[in-house]
């Protein structure tokens, strides 16, 4: 598959910053028909050394950092694990939050009977924290900035649902009206802050939301 729709936002000998389109897997899925993905497209189109460091959900678009050598991969992976990175998402959520900003601290776990959904579970869930802030208010939805402190699967989607404001276009978690309000999941990784894996310099990359 060609590189189409994958924007290379920044190229460094140690890493790439790319813009993942919506409806593209970050890594190959288990099934044969799920082999097409971002990392394979990069590897087959001029970046055979590309290594995945972190992932975005299939429906989520936006910034991913891709390592280009084993040492950079190790160091960037460590930064994500030790929460030294800064991640900012832009989303559209249903309804009107009462406050203009808030902090969600609810543990999450995978819900096998309803795969691939995740749920809040105070007994068995893993700790998860998200900060949110309203950027714009519209008639039926808001544009929000979401800053995850932890990196759990579906964290932003489930956290916003848990406070009564599911993300627009979310096929897994939105109710009918919120699902119909946007043709895609309205969640985009808009900013990423990392330390350069070799020099240690703090770097910030931006990629505006397409919605």
């Amino acid at each position: 598959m060609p590189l189409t729709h994958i924007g290379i936002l920044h190229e460094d000998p140690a890493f790439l910053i790319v813009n993942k389109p919506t409806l593209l897997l970050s890594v190959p899925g288990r099934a044969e028909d799920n082999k097409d993905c971002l990392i394979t497209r990069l590897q087959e189109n001029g970046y055979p050394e590309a290594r995945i460091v972190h992932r975005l959900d299939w429906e989520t678009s936006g910034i991913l950092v891709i390592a280009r050598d084993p040492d950079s991969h190790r160091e960037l992976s460590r930064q994500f694990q030790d929460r030294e990175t800064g991640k900012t998402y832009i989303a559209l959520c249903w309804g009107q939050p009462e406050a203009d900003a808030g902090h969600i601290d609810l543990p999450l776990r995978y819900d096998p009977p309803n795969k691939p959904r995740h749920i809040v579970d105070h007994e068995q869930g893993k700790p998860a924290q998200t900060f949110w802030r309203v950027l714009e208010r519209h008639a039926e939805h808001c544009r929000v900035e979401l800053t995850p402190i932890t990196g759990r699967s579906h964290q932003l989607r489930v956290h916003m649902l848990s406070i009564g404001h599911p993300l627009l276009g979310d096929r897994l978690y939105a109710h009918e009206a919120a699902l119909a309000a946007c043709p895609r999941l309205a969640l985009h990784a808009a900013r990423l802050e990392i330390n350069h894996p070799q020099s240690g310099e703090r770097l910030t990359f931006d990629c505006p939301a397409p919605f």
Side-chain angles (χ1 to χ4, degrees), residues 26-27 38-39 43 50-55 64-67 73 77:
S26 298
V27 296
L38 178 126
I39 196 68
Q43 289 167 347
R51 293 160 175 249
I52 202 88
V53 174
H54 60 126
R55 304 173 188 193
L64 278 176
V65 59
I66 305 289
H73 182 261
S77 299

Side-chain angles (χ1 to χ4, degrees), residues 137-207:
R137 291 183 182 269
H138 299 273
E140 291 192 318
H141 74 274
C142 290
R143 176 176 289 266
V144 290
E145 180 187 86
L146 303 175
T147 307
I149 306 307
T150 48
R152 307 288 174 214
S153 289
H154 295 192
Q155 175 176 321
L156 301 177
R157 300 159 74 173
V158 179
H159 270 175
M160 291 307 289
L161 174 72
S162 72
I163 61 167
H165 302 286
L167 301 190
L168 303 190
D170 191 338
R171 283 180 269 191
L172 285 179
Y173 301 103
H175 51 69
E176 231 169 287
L179 178 59
C182 190
R184 56 157 288 182
L185 171 66
L187 181 60
H188 178 80
R191 170 170 284 191
L192 180 66
E193 295 167 56
I194 59 169
N195 300 322
H196 193 289
Q198 289 162 353
S199 70
E201 182 193 354
R202 190 69 169 173
L203 303 168
T204 302
F205 301 97
D206 288 290
C207 179

Side-chain angles (χ1 to χ4, degrees), residues 36-61:
D36 180 36
C37 64
L38 178 126
I39 196 68
T40 307
R41 286 196 196 181
L42 287 168
Q43 289 167 347
E44 291 175 356
N45 290 276
Y47 302 98
E49 74 287 357
R51 293 160 175 249
I52 202 88
V53 174
H54 60 126
R55 304 173 188 193
L56 292 175
D57 290 345
W58 178 61
E59 302 97 325
T60 306
S61 57

